[in-house]
Amino acid sequence: MSGTPRSSAKEDERFMAAALNLARRGLGRTAPNPAVGALIVKEGAVIGRGATGEGGRPHAETLAIREAGAAAAGATLYVTLEPCSHHGKTPPCADAIVAVGIARVVSTIEDPDPRVAGSGFQRLRDAGIAVATGVLAEAALRANLGHVLRVRRRRPMVTLKLAETADLYAAGPAGAPRLMITGAPANARVHILRAMYDAVMIGAGTAIADDPMLNVRLPGVEDRKPLRVVLDSHLDLPMHARLVTSAREYPTLVIAGEGASTEAGARLLEANVEIERVAWDSAGHADLAAALAVLGARGITRVLCEGGPSLAAALVARNLADEILLLRSDKPLGAAGKPALDASSRAALADTSRYRLAENGRLGEDSYLRYERVL
């Protein structure tokens, strides 16, 4: 269209990176909707910004338009996912963009939701708006991976977090006291992560051995209450477990095998613990893929798994671990213990067709490595 604002590819990437950073603030708060960021830019200055609201409403574009007001006419909108084009609980964002007179839209990837799937971009083009897509597409796909997987594979994304000693153990020999592997900075990072996920998941073995709370205990974000999920095939979780006794304060879900004890289930229900049942797998455990499908059906898009080595190995073996975060102490166990990852999982991390090392660094006296599954 005449008068369409112009910018360089470098400038588009710079503003899109800022929009992605804005979007990430909503991680763990917007499910079942994706966490989207939007910036409205005019003559090189940001005049409106928005990030998806709590529970998925309002949408980022709506908030950015509201902040920009009449100045949005003739401006450029940077948005981290295709604007919606369907009538849901709110009118389509694409229509709002057209109505306010935005001249150019820069975006990343199509929304895989079949109600959108390219129609949002087409609505903008049909209205004469210049549309550029594919800007920082890889980063946007990673940021929206939970939404994409829930739409395409009916499951949330899964980040597997493990702590290990310098000699790669997660625990001492059978019967040994629980290891406190990492220091305060690494432990704080875990609480930040919990605040950025819709659910925190462990297996029954970890729940019984460690008796964790799995809540967020950092000043300023204590109000975040991700769903606590226990994969408990046979409903072995004891009633005195802290996950059970605190279930009236923090949402808690146990996923059991379809033949697990109805009596144990009834006791947990009385304690305000939700129960879901799924089919058994070939090893006699609650099927892991089915459990993740249950979470996806509930609107969960992002799961942080803090389970032990057995659950970690199962996730990696079934290609269900989308990210793997290893928090590593500089101190060795110095004796035979339980490896954090089995040999097969270590081999998977070394296989560049399956995983890539995305980040590594220090957290106080500990180090960390973050791997991403190759998409």
Side-chain angles (χ1 to χ4, degrees), residues 59 61-62 65 83-99 120 123-124:
H59 286 185
E61 301 95 319
T62 301
I65 289 169
C84 66
S85 55
H86 63 283
H87 284 271
K89 294 182 180 178
T90 58
C93 288
D95 287 357
I97 294 166
V98 172
R123 171 76 180 91
L124 300 176

Side-chain angles (χ1 to χ4, degrees), residues 3-28:
T4 298
R6 297 179 180 277
S7 63
S8 67
K10 186 175 182 179
E11 186 176 44
D12 283 347
E13 289 184 358
R14 179 168 65 89
F15 281 119
M16 188 59 72
L20 283 166
N21 284 335
L22 186 61
R24 291 187 184 99
R25 297 181 186 180
L27 292 175

Side-chain angles (χ1 to χ4, degrees), residues 291-354:
L292 292 177
V294 163
L295 297 179
R298 293 170 66 101
I300 299 295
T301 63
R302 291 168 52 81
V303 173
L304 176 65
C305 178
E306 297 189 40
S310 296
L311 181 53
L315 286 167
V316 174
R318 300 193 65 173
N319 213 31
L320 295 172
D322 303 298
E323 288 187 356
I324 299 176
L325 176 65
L326 295 178
L327 302 174
R328 183 174 294 164
S329 170
D330 283 352
K331 300 174 182 178
L333 178 61
K338 188 164 189 177
L341 289 171
D342 62 11
S344 178
S345 298
R346 297 278 179 196
L349 288 185
D351 183 349
T352 56
S353 70
R354 293 191 62 186

Side-chain angles (χ1 to χ4, degrees), residues 23-40:
R24 291 187 184 99
R25 297 181 186 180
L27 292 175
R29 304 177 66 186
T30 66
N33 285 356
V36 176
L39 297 176
I40 297 177

Side-chain angles (χ1 to χ4, degrees), residues 234-301:
H234 303 285
L235 290 178
D236 294 324
L237 190 64
M239 295 301 295
H240 60 76
R242 294 198 295 168
L243 288 168
V244 177
T245 59
S246 61
R248 299 193 186 279
E249 184 179 359
Y250 298 98
T252 307
L253 169 69
V254 168
I255 300 179
E258 57 189 4
S261 167
T262 55
E263 292 81 4
R267 288 193 295 270
L268 290 171
L269 287 171
E270 287 180 3
N272 211 47
V273 175
E274 292 187 77
I275 306 289
E276 293 271 12
R277 297 174 184 271
V278 298
W280 303 105
D281 63 17
S282 58
H285 300 127
D287 185 81
L288 190 51
L292 292 177
V294 163
L295 297 179
R298 293 170 66 101
I300 299 295
T301 63

